[in-house]
Amino acid sequence: MTQCCFLRVYLFFWFRSFHHRMALGLCPQVLCSLGGWLSLYISFCRLNKHRSYEWNCRLVTFTHGVLSIGLSAYIGFVDGPWPFTHPGSPNTPLQVHVLCLTLGYFIFDLGCIWRFAWRKSIKKYHAWRSRRREERQLKRNGHLKTR
């Protein structure tokens, strides 16, 4: 009985450390992807000095869209496995690289949203909240509530 408990504890910590090591191995790939997207953004900013920074960010977004569609089509149709006949199969190394590439872009895009759309988002949220407040003040027949 004690050997079984020992084995369970050992397997639990080995499995946990395995996932921790795997996650640590993916972090450099994601950081390299983020660095690649940032360097692409900086090069677009240098090439298109007459355009705004947000325009260059959208150009990086377009590049990511084209690249991710092309890589996903290659994985799905050429490299395999076909997702409709082998659902839930283990990921191939190419699929993991595309995932890291996309996660790096997600972090880049989150930074762009934080930088360029923060004020717009706050204004939209404030307008939405004020409309909701006005709707709560109206009765069902359209007259204002009296307090």
Side-chain angles (χ1 to χ4, degrees), residues 122-141:
I122 293 296
K123 288 178 184 177
K124 288 177 185 177
Y125 175 74
H126 178 70
W128 177 78
R129 289 293 298 165
S130 64
R131 280 194 304 266
R132 295 287 298 159
R133 193 175 324 123
E134 290 171 2
E135 288 174 4
R136 271 189 252 132
Q137 291 175 353
L138 294 175
K139 284 188 174 181
R140 289 189 179 150
N141 63 1

PDB file of all heavy atoms in Angstrom, residues 122-141:
ATOM      1  N   ILE A 122     -12.369  53.234 -23.641  1.00  0.00           N
ATOM      2  CA  ILE A 122     -12.930  53.877 -22.456  1.00  0.00           C
ATOM      3  C   ILE A 122     -14.123  54.743 -22.850  1.00  0.00           C
ATOM      4  O   ILE A 122     -15.155  54.745 -22.170  1.00  0.00           O
ATOM      5  CB  ILE A 122     -11.855  54.711 -21.732  1.00  0.00           C
ATOM      6  CG1 ILE A 122     -10.782  53.811 -21.146  1.00  0.00           C
ATOM      7  CG2 ILE A 122     -12.457  55.587 -20.661  1.00  0.00           C
ATOM      8  CD1 ILE A 122     -11.276  52.880 -20.063  1.00  0.00           C
ATOM      9  N   LYS A 123     -14.011  55.467 -23.963  1.00  0.00           N
ATOM     10  CA  LYS A 123     -15.129  56.300 -24.418  1.00  0.00           C
ATOM     11  C   LYS A 123     -16.333  55.444 -24.786  1.00  0.00           C
ATOM     12  O   LYS A 123     -17.473  55.783 -24.468  1.00  0.00           O
ATOM     13  CB  LYS A 123     -14.704  57.154 -25.608  1.00  0.00           C
ATOM     14  CG  LYS A 123     -13.763  58.272 -25.247  1.00  0.00           C
ATOM     15  CD  LYS A 123     -13.358  59.045 -26.490  1.00  0.00           C
ATOM     16  CE  LYS A 123     -12.337  60.101 -26.157  1.00  0.00           C
ATOM     17  NZ  LYS A 123     -11.880  60.810 -27.363  1.00  0.00           N
ATOM     18  N   LYS A 124     -16.100  54.323 -25.470  1.00  0.00           N
ATOM     19  CA  LYS A 124     -17.208  53.437 -25.836  1.00  0.00           C
ATOM     20  C   LYS A 124     -17.859  52.844 -24.600  1.00  0.00           C
ATOM     21  O   LYS A 124     -19.082  52.749 -24.514  1.00  0.00           O
ATOM     22  CB  LYS A 124     -16.704  52.319 -26.754  1.00  0.00           C
ATOM     23  CG  LYS A 124     -16.371  52.781 -28.134  1.00  0.00           C
ATOM     24  CD  LYS A 124     -15.825  51.633 -28.953  1.00  0.00           C
ATOM     25  CE  LYS A 124     -15.361  52.121 -30.309  1.00  0.00           C
ATOM     26  NZ  LYS A 124     -14.754  51.047 -31.091  1.00  0.00           N
ATOM     27  N   TYR A 125     -17.063  52.459 -23.622  1.00  0.00           N
ATOM     28  CA  TYR A 125     -17.612  51.886 -22.402  1.00  0.00           C
ATOM     29  C   TYR A 125     -18.439  52.934 -21.652  1.00  0.00           C
ATOM     30  O   TYR A 125     -19.519  52.636 -21.152  1.00  0.00           O
ATOM     31  CB  TYR A 125     -16.489  51.355 -21.520  1.00  0.00           C
ATOM     32  CG  TYR A 125     -16.958  50.861 -20.177  1.00  0.00           C
ATOM     33  CD1 TYR A 125     -17.643  49.653 -20.082  1.00  0.00           C
ATOM     34  CD2 TYR A 125     -16.740  51.590 -19.025  1.00  0.00           C
ATOM     35  CE1 TYR A 125     -18.086  49.194 -18.865  1.00  0.00           C
ATOM     36  CE2 TYR A 125     -17.186  51.145 -17.806  1.00  0.00           C
ATOM     37  CZ  TYR A 125     -17.850  49.945 -17.725  1.00  0.00           C
ATOM     38  OH  TYR A 125     -18.296  49.497 -16.518  1.00  0.00           O
ATOM     39  N   HIS A 126     -17.932  54.153 -21.584  1.00  0.00           N
ATOM     40  CA  HIS A 126     -18.650  55.221 -20.893  1.00  0.00           C
ATOM     41  C   HIS A 126     -19.973  55.518 -21.596  1.00  0.00           C
ATOM     42  O   HIS A 126     -21.004  55.705 -20.936  1.00  0.00           O
ATOM     43  CB  HIS A 126     -17.790  56.486 -20.824  1.00  0.00           C
ATOM     44  CG  HIS A 126     -18.471  57.631 -20.175  1.00  0.00           C
ATOM     45  ND1 HIS A 126     -18.745  57.651 -18.828  1.00  0.00           N
ATOM     46  CD2 HIS A 126     -18.946  58.785 -20.676  1.00  0.00           C
ATOM     47  CE1 HIS A 126     -19.373  58.781 -18.539  1.00  0.00           C
ATOM     48  NE2 HIS A 126     -19.503  59.485 -19.644  1.00  0.00           N
ATOM     49  N   ALA A 127     -19.979  55.549 -22.920  1.00  0.00           N
ATOM     50  CA  ALA A 127     -21.216  55.798 -23.660  1.00  0.00           C
ATOM     51  C   ALA A 127     -22.206  54.653 -23.447  1.00  0.00           C
ATOM     52  O   ALA A 127     -23.403  54.878 -23.269  1.00  0.00           O
ATOM     53  CB  ALA A 127     -20.914  55.966 -25.145  1.00  0.00           C
ATOM     54  N   TRP A 128     -21.709  53.435 -23.428  1.00  0.00           N
ATOM     55  CA  TRP A 128     -22.589  52.285 -23.199  1.00  0.00           C
ATOM     56  C   TRP A 128     -23.198  52.338 -21.810  1.00  0.00           C
ATOM     57  O   TRP A 128     -24.393  52.107 -21.641  1.00  0.00           O
ATOM     58  CB  TRP A 128     -21.792  51.000 -23.385  1.00  0.00           C
ATOM     59  CG  TRP A 128     -22.588  49.768 -23.103  1.00  0.00           C
ATOM     60  CD1 TRP A 128     -23.505  49.178 -23.916  1.00  0.00           C
ATOM     61  CD2 TRP A 128     -22.531  48.975 -21.919  1.00  0.00           C
ATOM     62  NE1 TRP A 128     -24.022  48.072 -23.317  1.00  0.00           N
ATOM     63  CE2 TRP A 128     -23.450  47.919 -22.084  1.00  0.00           C
ATOM     64  CE3 TRP A 128     -21.803  49.058 -20.728  1.00  0.00           C
ATOM     65  CZ2 TRP A 128     -23.651  46.959 -21.114  1.00  0.00           C
ATOM     66  CZ3 TRP A 128     -22.005  48.091 -19.777  1.00  0.00           C
ATOM     67  CH2 TRP A 128     -22.916  47.055 -19.968  1.00  0.00           C
ATOM     68  N   ARG A 129     -22.391  52.672 -20.799  1.00  0.00           N
ATOM     69  CA  ARG A 129     -22.901  52.740 -19.431  1.00  0.00           C
ATOM     70  C   ARG A 129     -23.935  53.850 -19.289  1.00  0.00           C
ATOM     71  O   ARG A 129     -24.934  53.684 -18.592  1.00  0.00           O
ATOM     72  CB  ARG A 129     -21.765  52.970 -18.427  1.00  0.00           C
ATOM     73  CG  ARG A 129     -20.868  51.802 -18.238  1.00  0.00           C
ATOM     74  CD  ARG A 129     -21.546  50.645 -17.586  1.00  0.00           C
ATOM     75  NE  ARG A 129     -21.990  51.020 -16.260  1.00  0.00           N
ATOM     76  CZ  ARG A 129     -22.847  50.341 -15.536  1.00  0.00           C
ATOM     77  NH1 ARG A 129     -23.368  49.247 -16.003  1.00  0.00           N
ATOM     78  NH2 ARG A 129     -23.201  50.734 -14.346  1.00  0.00           N
ATOM     79  N   SER A 130     -23.728  54.994 -19.933  1.00  0.00           N
ATOM     80  CA  SER A 130     -24.700  56.077 -19.805  1.00  0.00           C
ATOM     81  C   SER A 130     -26.008  55.704 -20.493  1.00  0.00           C
ATOM     82  O   SER A 130     -27.090  56.035 -19.994  1.00  0.00           O
ATOM     83  CB  SER A 130     -24.132  57.379 -20.380  1.00  0.00           C
ATOM     84  OG  SER A 130     -23.899  57.243 -21.753  1.00  0.00           O
ATOM     85  N   ARG A 131     -25.941  54.998 -21.620  1.00  0.00           N
ATOM     86  CA  ARG A 131     -27.184  54.540 -22.260  1.00  0.00           C
ATOM     87  C   ARG A 131     -27.917  53.538 -21.391  1.00  0.00           C
ATOM     88  O   ARG A 131     -29.139  53.566 -21.284  1.00  0.00           O
ATOM     89  CB  ARG A 131     -26.876  53.918 -23.626  1.00  0.00           C
ATOM     90  CG  ARG A 131     -26.677  54.933 -24.718  1.00  0.00           C
ATOM     91  CD  ARG A 131     -26.727  54.256 -26.078  1.00  0.00           C
ATOM     92  NE  ARG A 131     -25.769  53.169 -26.211  1.00  0.00           N
ATOM     93  CZ  ARG A 131     -24.561  53.286 -26.718  1.00  0.00           C
ATOM     94  NH1 ARG A 131     -24.142  54.447 -27.164  1.00  0.00           N
ATOM     95  NH2 ARG A 131     -23.769  52.242 -26.799  1.00  0.00           N
ATOM     96  N   ARG A 132     -27.194  52.644 -20.759  1.00  0.00           N
ATOM     97  CA  ARG A 132     -27.821  51.659 -19.869  1.00  0.00           C
ATOM     98  C   ARG A 132     -28.476  52.359 -18.678  1.00  0.00           C
ATOM     99  O   ARG A 132     -29.542  51.960 -18.237  1.00  0.00           O
ATOM    100  CB  ARG A 132     -26.794  50.644 -19.362  1.00  0.00           C
ATOM    101  CG  ARG A 132     -26.210  49.777 -20.419  1.00  0.00           C
ATOM    102  CD  ARG A 132     -27.162  48.746 -20.929  1.00  0.00           C
ATOM    103  NE  ARG A 132     -27.538  47.871 -19.837  1.00  0.00           N
ATOM    104  CZ  ARG A 132     -28.619  47.119 -19.819  1.00  0.00           C
ATOM    105  NH1 ARG A 132     -29.430  47.135 -20.833  1.00  0.00           N
ATOM    106  NH2 ARG A 132     -28.881  46.351 -18.796  1.00  0.00           N
ATOM    107  N   ARG A 133     -27.860  53.402 -18.158  1.00  0.00           N
ATOM    108  CA  ARG A 133     -28.421  54.135 -17.035  1.00  0.00           C
ATOM    109  C   ARG A 133     -29.721  54.812 -17.449  1.00  0.00           C
ATOM    110  O   ARG A 133     -30.702  54.816 -16.708  1.00  0.00           O
ATOM    111  CB  ARG A 133     -27.408  55.171 -16.537  1.00  0.00           C
ATOM    112  CG  ARG A 133     -27.747  55.761 -15.205  1.00  0.00           C
ATOM    113  CD  ARG A 133     -26.668  56.684 -14.667  1.00  0.00           C
ATOM    114  NE  ARG A 133     -25.321  56.247 -14.977  1.00  0.00           N
ATOM    115  CZ  ARG A 133     -24.428  56.990 -15.627  1.00  0.00           C
ATOM    116  NH1 ARG A 133     -24.736  58.191 -16.045  1.00  0.00           N
ATOM    117  NH2 ARG A 133     -23.235  56.532 -15.870  1.00  0.00           N
ATOM    118  N   GLU A 134     -29.738  55.396 -18.664  1.00  0.00           N
ATOM    119  CA  GLU A 134     -30.959  56.031 -19.153  1.00  0.00           C
ATOM    120  C   GLU A 134     -32.069  55.012 -19.363  1.00  0.00           C
ATOM    121  O   GLU A 134     -33.227  55.286 -19.069  1.00  0.00           O
ATOM    122  CB  GLU A 134     -30.683  56.768 -20.464  1.00  0.00           C
ATOM    123  CG  GLU A 134     -29.828  57.996 -20.304  1.00  0.00           C
ATOM    124  CD  GLU A 134     -29.400  58.568 -21.637  1.00  0.00           C
ATOM    125  OE1 GLU A 134     -29.820  58.015 -22.679  1.00  0.00           O
ATOM    126  OE2 GLU A 134     -28.645  59.544 -21.631  1.00  0.00           O
ATOM    127  N   GLU A 135     -31.724  53.827 -19.853  1.00  0.00           N
ATOM    128  CA  GLU A 135     -32.736  52.797 -20.058  1.00  0.00           C
ATOM    129  C   GLU A 135     -33.331  52.328 -18.747  1.00  0.00           C
ATOM    130  O   GLU A 135     -34.506  52.024 -18.666  1.00  0.00           O
ATOM    131  CB  GLU A 135     -32.133  51.602 -20.804  1.00  0.00           C
ATOM    132  CG  GLU A 135     -31.837  51.883 -22.257  1.00  0.00           C
ATOM    133  CD  GLU A 135     -31.101  50.727 -22.904  1.00  0.00           C
ATOM    134  OE1 GLU A 135     -30.895  49.690 -22.237  1.00  0.00           O
ATOM    135  OE2 GLU A 135     -30.734  50.866 -24.076  1.00  0.00           O
ATOM    136  N   ARG A 136     -32.519  52.275 -17.706  1.00  0.00           N
ATOM    137  CA  ARG A 136     -33.034  51.863 -16.408  1.00  0.00           C
ATOM    138  C   ARG A 136     -33.965  52.910 -15.817  1.00  0.00           C
ATOM    139  O   ARG A 136     -34.827  52.587 -15.023  1.00  0.00           O
ATOM    140  CB  ARG A 136     -31.876  51.597 -15.445  1.00  0.00           C
ATOM    141  CG  ARG A 136     -31.408  50.169 -15.516  1.00  0.00           C
ATOM    142  CD  ARG A 136     -30.424  49.864 -14.417  1.00  0.00           C
ATOM    143  NE  ARG A 136     -29.117  49.744 -15.066  1.00  0.00           N
ATOM    144  CZ  ARG A 136     -28.015  50.331 -14.661  1.00  0.00           C
ATOM    145  NH1 ARG A 136     -28.016  51.093 -13.604  1.00  0.00           N
ATOM    146  NH2 ARG A 136     -26.893  50.169 -15.315  1.00  0.00           N
ATOM    147  N   GLN A 137     -33.769  54.161 -16.195  1.00  0.00           N
ATOM    148  CA  GLN A 137     -34.610  55.217 -15.653  1.00  0.00           C
ATOM    149  C   GLN A 137     -35.977  55.271 -16.333  1.00  0.00           C
ATOM    150  O   GLN A 137     -36.897  55.885 -15.830  1.00  0.00           O
ATOM    151  CB  GLN A 137     -33.913  56.570 -15.778  1.00  0.00           C
ATOM    152  CG  GLN A 137     -32.709  56.710 -14.873  1.00  0.00           C
ATOM    153  CD  GLN A 137     -31.957  58.003 -15.094  1.00  0.00           C
ATOM    154  OE1 GLN A 137     -32.268  58.734 -16.026  1.00  0.00           O
ATOM    155  NE2 GLN A 137     -30.993  58.273 -14.253  1.00  0.00           N
ATOM    156  N   LEU A 138     -36.108  54.657 -17.489  1.00  0.00           N
ATOM    157  CA  LEU A 138     -37.382  54.675 -18.200  1.00  0.00           C
ATOM    158  C   LEU A 138     -38.273  53.537 -17.735  1.00  0.00           C
ATOM    159  O   LEU A 138     -37.817  52.430 -17.475  1.00  0.00           O
ATOM    160  CB  LEU A 138     -37.148  54.552 -19.713  1.00  0.00           C
ATOM    161  CG  LEU A 138     -36.431  55.716 -20.387  1.00  0.00           C
ATOM    162  CD1 LEU A 138     -36.190  55.374 -21.844  1.00  0.00           C
ATOM    163  CD2 LEU A 138     -37.252  56.977 -20.282  1.00  0.00           C
ATOM    164  N   LYS A 139     -39.564  53.828 -17.643  1.00  0.00           N
ATOM    165  CA  LYS A 139     -40.522  52.762 -17.352  1.00  0.00           C
ATOM    166  C   LYS A 139     -40.800  51.996 -18.630  1.00  0.00           C
ATOM    167  O   LYS A 139     -40.335  52.353 -19.706  1.00  0.00           O
ATOM    168  CB  LYS A 139     -41.826  53.351 -16.826  1.00  0.00           C
ATOM    169  CG  LYS A 139     -41.773  53.804 -15.411  1.00  0.00           C
ATOM    170  CD  LYS A 139     -43.177  54.178 -14.989  1.00  0.00           C
ATOM    171  CE  LYS A 139     -43.226  54.514 -13.527  1.00  0.00           C
ATOM    172  NZ  LYS A 139     -44.564  54.858 -13.111  1.00  0.00           N
ATOM    173  N   ARG A 140     -41.594  50.965 -18.514  1.00  0.00           N
ATOM    174  CA  ARG A 140     -41.920  50.175 -19.692  1.00  0.00           C
ATOM    175  C   ARG A 140     -42.777  50.952 -20.675  1.00  0.00           C
ATOM    176  O   ARG A 140     -42.743  50.700 -21.867  1.00  0.00           O
ATOM    177  CB  ARG A 140     -42.635  48.898 -19.275  1.00  0.00           C
ATOM    178  CG  ARG A 140     -41.705  47.944 -18.605  1.00  0.00           C
ATOM    179  CD  ARG A 140     -42.343  46.620 -18.398  1.00  0.00           C
ATOM    180  NE  ARG A 140     -41.377  45.730 -17.775  1.00  0.00           N
ATOM    181  CZ  ARG A 140     -41.678  44.763 -16.970  1.00  0.00           C
ATOM    182  NH1 ARG A 140     -42.944  44.538 -16.669  1.00  0.00           N
ATOM    183  NH2 ARG A 140     -40.758  44.010 -16.463  1.00  0.00           N
ATOM    184  N   ASN A 141     -43.570  51.902 -20.215  1.00  0.00           N
ATOM    185  CA  ASN A 141     -44.395  52.670 -21.149  1.00  0.00           C
ATOM    186  C   ASN A 141     -43.688  53.876 -21.726  1.00  0.00           C
ATOM    187  O   ASN A 141     -44.278  54.640 -22.460  1.00  0.00           O
ATOM    188  CB  ASN A 141     -45.712  53.069 -20.475  1.00  0.00           C
ATOM    189  CG  ASN A 141     -45.481  53.986 -19.283  1.00  0.00           C
ATOM    190  OD1 ASN A 141     -44.339  54.338 -18.983  1.00  0.00           O
ATOM    191  ND2 ASN A 141     -46.552  54.350 -18.604  1.00  0.00           N
TER     192      ASN A 141
END
